[in-house]
């Protein structure tokens, strides 16, 4: 019986800082809402929790933490939302998530941490049904209005992050050309997402 296993889709947007994820998340949210889907837009890090506030302070360079420690805090921040995520998906809500485990692994391994060690705390989190990777060169991203004050927003570091992301691609990924005009990026995103939402509604199992 398909209908009893019907659920929302877990859609993740990934990419370098300034790739346009936030704009595309909000546009995708409106689009799916207009089509009558139940949908929410989330982001990680979720800076509203206690763990999230520690992360936010670290990113603002107001605190200093060992690389392993901050890695585990980012992961903990995803874990503290896991059960809510599962219940939302099972009740039919589609989630659009701005950054997830792939950010966790690519940003920390770009610092030189062992990639398998970086992946370990992500094991058991819910697997995305679709990862939209908004691809842009680090140089191009850096030109977009300049980086802010946050810790990772530096060209040399973003080049390493881009390399790490490349090694993480899997079958759930769809590479989107994020250098195109906003409307063209939006169209690529829409075309990819509809099929994914439908498959989940028809009962594709949730996995970890
Ligand atoms: P954002 O709020 O999307 O701008 O993300 C804040 C910064 O933190 C951004 O440079 C990406 C980075 N980031 C996001 N998730 C993780 C993670 O799990 N681990 C690490 N090390 N960095 C992350
Ligand atoms: Na950022
Ligand atoms: Na961002």
């Amino acid at each position: 019986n398909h209908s009893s296993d019907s659920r929302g889709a877990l859609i993740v947007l990934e990419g370098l800082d300034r790739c346009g994820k936030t704009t595309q998340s909000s546009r995708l949210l409106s689009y799916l809402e207009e089509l009558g889907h139940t949908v929410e837009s989330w982001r990680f890090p979720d800076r509203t929790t206690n763990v999230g506030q520690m992360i936010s302070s670290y990113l603002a360079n107001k605190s200093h933490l060992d690389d392993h420690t901050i890695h585990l805090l980012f992961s903990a921040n995803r874990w503290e939302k896991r059960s809510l995520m599962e219940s939302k998906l099972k009740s039919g809500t589609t989630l659009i998530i701005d950054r997830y485990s792939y950010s966790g692994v690519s940003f920390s391994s770009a610092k030189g941490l062992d990639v398998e060690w970086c992946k370990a705390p992500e094991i058991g989190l819910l697997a995305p049904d679709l990862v939209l990777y908004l691809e842009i060169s680090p140089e191009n991203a850096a030109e977009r209005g300049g980086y802010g004050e946050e810790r990772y927003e530096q060209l040399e570091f973003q080049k390493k992050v881009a390399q790490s992301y490349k090694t993480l691609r899997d079958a759930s990924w769809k590479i989107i050309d994020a250098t195109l005009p906003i409307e063209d990026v939006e169209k690529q995103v829409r075309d990819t997402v509809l099929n994914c939402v439908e498959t989940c509604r028809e009962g594709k199992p949730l996995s970890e």
Side-chain angles (χ1 to χ4, degrees), residues 3-18:
S3 62
S4 65
D5 299 318
S6 181
R7 65 171 176 89
L10 178 51
I11 299 166
V12 168
L13 282 88
E14 287 282 3
L16 300 179
D17 285 292
R18 296 276 183 273

Side-chain angles (χ1 to χ4, degrees), residues 24-33 39-41 96:
Q24 292 299 331
S25 294
S26 70
R27 289 184 172 222
L28 180 58
L29 176 76
S30 309
Y31 175 66
L32 291 176
E33 277 174 345
V39 53
E40 288 182 17
S41 165
I96 300 165

Side-chain angles (χ1 to χ4, degrees), residues 176-193:
I176 304 283
D177 182 353
T179 61
L180 297 174
I182 288 178
E183 284 71 24
D184 297 348
V185 176
E186 189 178 8
K187 178 155 192 327
Q188 294 178 76
V189 167
R190 288 179 174 190
D191 291 347
T192 313
V193 158

Side-chain angles (χ1 to χ4, degrees), residues 99-112:
R99 297 195 180 284
Y100 197 55
S101 301
Y102 296 94
S103 285
V105 177
S106 62
F107 279 76
S108 288
S109 66
K111 298 173 179 175

Side-chain angles (χ1 to χ4, degrees), residues 17-18 43 47 99 150 153:
D17 285 292
R18 296 276 183 273
R43 66 182 313 145
R47 303 185 191 216
R99 297 195 180 284
E150 288 208 327
E153 296 180 341

